[in-house]
Amino acid sequence: MVTVILFVQFDWRFSAATASTIVAYVLFTQIITDWRLQFRRTMNARDSEANTKAIDSFLNFETVKYFNNEEYEYCRYDKAQAGYEKAAVTSQISLSLLNLGQGAIVAVGLILVMWMAAAGVISGDFVMVNTFLIQLYLPLNFLGVVYREIKRSLVDMDKMFELLEHKPDVVDVANAKELKVGPGQIDFEHVSFGYSEERGIIKNISFQVPPGKTVAIVGPSGSGKSTISRLLFRFYDADQGRITIDGQDIRDFSQLSLRKAIGVVPQDTVLFNDTIAYNIHYGNPEAPWEQVQEAAQLAQIHGFVESLPKGYETEVGERGLKLSGGEKQRVAIARTILKGPRILIFDEATSALDSHTEREIQESLRKVSRERTTLIVAHRLSTIIDADEILVLRQ
Ligand SMILES: Nc1ncnc2c1ncn2[C@@H]1O[C@H](COP(=O)(O)OP(=O)(O)O)[C@@H](O)[C@H]1O
Ligand SMILES: [Mg+2]
């Protein structure tokens, strides 16, 4: 509009100078802003890299100490931070460059028009042209800032969009059914699976766990015992064959209802950095307090907890660090008992217990699993002595 007014009221040269200033300004802003985006991208990448490294070294602080690698971790973090620093400085310099260039373009345009106006000063023209130009350049500057900010925010959102578009490995089928807790018979029918295509882990496995029975799986480390329990829990889908519960393919159920029906005591138990009570209650946050204690009793941990000065309010530390391996396992067993699922999976759940405690807990496990379909992974034969059937995995 300003360009048109200048053209109509004054001289075509005024508007030509203004128009070319605007075009130069817009082009310059666009080109430089797009070029600057890479620095923003690098900044974000380095920032999340540094964060990941910091968190990783804190989580593994014992390992860091065991190997005297504080200095090493420090350097790793520092390197990532240095990358961020460099990108941030480059980003700032290029921003200054942008501002400088924008300012220069506007200044040149202004000088040009002012000079033309001054050359033919006729009453009041100069002031009027000046006013028009201020009307023009102030918003122009504002637009430059907005364009830059929008572009920058888009880059910042990159990662988020990437995450949103990421397809999970396991998805519910359309109109997935709810798994009604029935007798709980498990069937593996010619199941094959590998974490990657090059390397099959499980090759054509078939077996059945009748309702309420206990099947044990033994085999050397790495033979795929834990993998079988992960497949049943549907952390992964089988490549071939199918797994059924009460005759129905587990892929037809919603993951939520499937996982509600299955309780897992995993091989490596990690606890939340909270109290023992919190960690056991986690199995079913709605359960009344008496049930929590009952579960602790069944898992043979109640006595130990009561002997602690703070009892159930004892903090367990990060990942349960302040408990021994066996205590952690028993807390994990207690919280799975509290969940009260139809199907139980114990993945070397008693491996860290001494044989005396294991014998004691065995009795409780027998009680707990009597009414339930149970899959038990173990490498100590004493653990599975009561199983109805024992499967041996080879290679
Ligand atoms: N998430 C994973 N990605 C790739 N390979 C894996 C993964 N988990 C386990 N594996 C591999 O699969 C094989 C079987 O693992 P697992 O079922 O945990 O054995 P185990 O019988 O000792 O429980 C191992 O060789 C292991 O290296
Ligand atoms: Mg395992």
Side-chain angles (χ1 to χ4, degrees), residues 195 199 201 220-228 230 236 267 347:
Y195 290 98
R199 182 164 168 244
I201 304 284
S221 163
S223 55
K225 306 184 293 295
S226 300
T227 306
I228 288 181
R230 279 180 218 131
Y236 302 91
Q267 192 163 9
D347 191 351

Side-chain angles (χ1 to χ4, degrees), residues 12-71:
W12 67 269
R13 281 173 305 161
F14 282 133
S15 52
T18 327
S20 22
T21 311
I22 298 173
V23 171
Y25 184 96
V26 168
L27 281 180
F28 178 78
T29 304
Q30 201 171 17
I31 291 169
I32 297 288
T33 303
D34 290 351
W35 168 70
R36 286 186 63 234
L37 291 181
Q38 52 172 317
F39 305 124
R40 186 74 197 175
R41 229 169 253 135
T42 322
M43 246 168 90
N44 286 346
R46 289 296 96 78
D47 188 37
S48 77
E49 189 186 322
N51 279 336
T52 312
K53 283 185 176 147
I55 292 170
D56 202 32
S57 64
F58 283 135
L59 279 180
N60 293 304
F61 72 91
E62 302 143 282
T63 315
V64 176
K65 294 274 175 201
Y66 283 140
F67 294 95
N68 284 337
N69 275 346
E70 291 94 336
E71 192 65 32

Side-chain angles (χ1 to χ4, degrees), residues 58 154 266 286:
F58 283 135
L154 283 176
E286 272 135 46

Side-chain angles (χ1 to χ4, degrees), residues 86-329:
K86 202 168 143 228
V89 169
T90 324
S91 171
Q92 190 56 49
I93 290 177
S94 65
L95 174 63
S96 307
L97 201 72
L98 177 67
N99 289 336
L100 192 78
Q102 287 173 332
I105 290 173
V106 169
V108 168
L110 261 178
I111 290 171
L112 207 65
V113 177
M114 286 298 127
W115 177 67
M116 289 191 293
V121 178
I122 331 159
S123 54
D125 275 10
F126 188 81
V127 173
M128 186 141 34
V129 170
N130 201 355
T131 312
F132 277 132
L133 287 180
I134 286 173
Q135 295 285 327
L136 173 65
Y137 290 132
L138 280 184
L140 198 59
N141 233 338
F142 180 64
L143 277 183
V145 172
V146 169
Y147 179 70
R148 195 182 77 213
E149 286 297 311
I150 289 177
K151 280 291 202 174
R152 206 199 65 192
S153 308
L154 283 176
V155 170
D156 288 355
M157 286 193 291
D158 262 4
K159 266 255 147 38
M160 192 181 76
F161 285 128
E162 222 172 85
L163 270 179
L164 286 177
E165 278 161 20
H166 193 85
K167 296 250 180 328
D169 291 337
V170 175
V171 281
D172 281 349
V173 290
N175 55 51
K177 281 176 288 188
E178 293 295 297
L179 170 57
K180 295 271 176 334
V181 185
Q185 168 165 318
I186 304 167
D187 280 280
F188 274 60
E189 298 170 9
H190 305 286
V191 173
S192 297
F193 172 77
Y195 290 98
S196 61
E197 266 167 32
E198 304 93 67
R199 182 164 168 244
I201 304 284
I202 289 177
K203 292 155 199 150
N204 195 12
I205 279 191
S206 299
F207 65 88
Q208 184 179 74
V209 193
K213 297 285 184 200
T214 297
V215 165
I217 304 175
V218 297
S221 163
S223 55
K225 306 184 293 295
S226 300
T227 306
I228 288 181
S229 68
R230 279 180 218 131
L231 285 175
L232 181 57
F233 203 66
R234 227 179 144 217
F235 276 151
Y236 302 91
D237 276 331
D239 298 331
Q240 271 152 43
R242 57 181 211 144
I243 303 167
T244 63
I245 290 179
D246 295 333
Q248 293 220 57
D249 196 320
I250 58 170
R251 280 175 290 213
D252 295 339
F253 298 123
S254 73
Q255 293 169 61
L256 201 69
S257 68
L258 174 73
R259 291 181 185 154
K260 219 179 255 171
I262 303 177
V264 182
V265 183
Q267 192 163 9
D268 307 301
T269 301
V270 282
L271 302 180
F272 292 101
N273 186 4
D274 208 304
T275 61
I276 294 181
Y278 175 86
N279 274 289
I280 298 180
H281 224 149
Y282 199 81
N284 180 5
E286 272 135 46
W289 180 242
E290 298 78 61
Q291 278 183 26
V292 175
Q293 274 182 317
E294 222 170 90
Q297 251 147 12
L298 278 171
Q300 304 289 334
I301 186 108
H302 180 72
F304 161 75
V305 175
E306 293 281 83
S307 76
L308 294 169
K310 286 192 184 158
Y312 279 93
E313 292 309 310
T314 308
E315 296 276 341
V316 302
E318 275 129 37
R319 292 173 298 131
L321 192 86
K322 293 180 186 168
L323 297 183
S324 78
E327 287 154 7
K328 252 190 311 199
Q329 282 192 334

Side-chain angles (χ1 to χ4, degrees), residues 70-89:
E70 291 94 336
E71 192 65 32
Y72 177 75
E73 287 297 331
Y74 169 76
C75 287
R76 232 161 61 105
Y77 181 64
D78 196 44
K79 218 186 269 168
Q81 283 288 29
Y84 175 76
E85 197 179 298
K86 202 168 143 228
V89 169

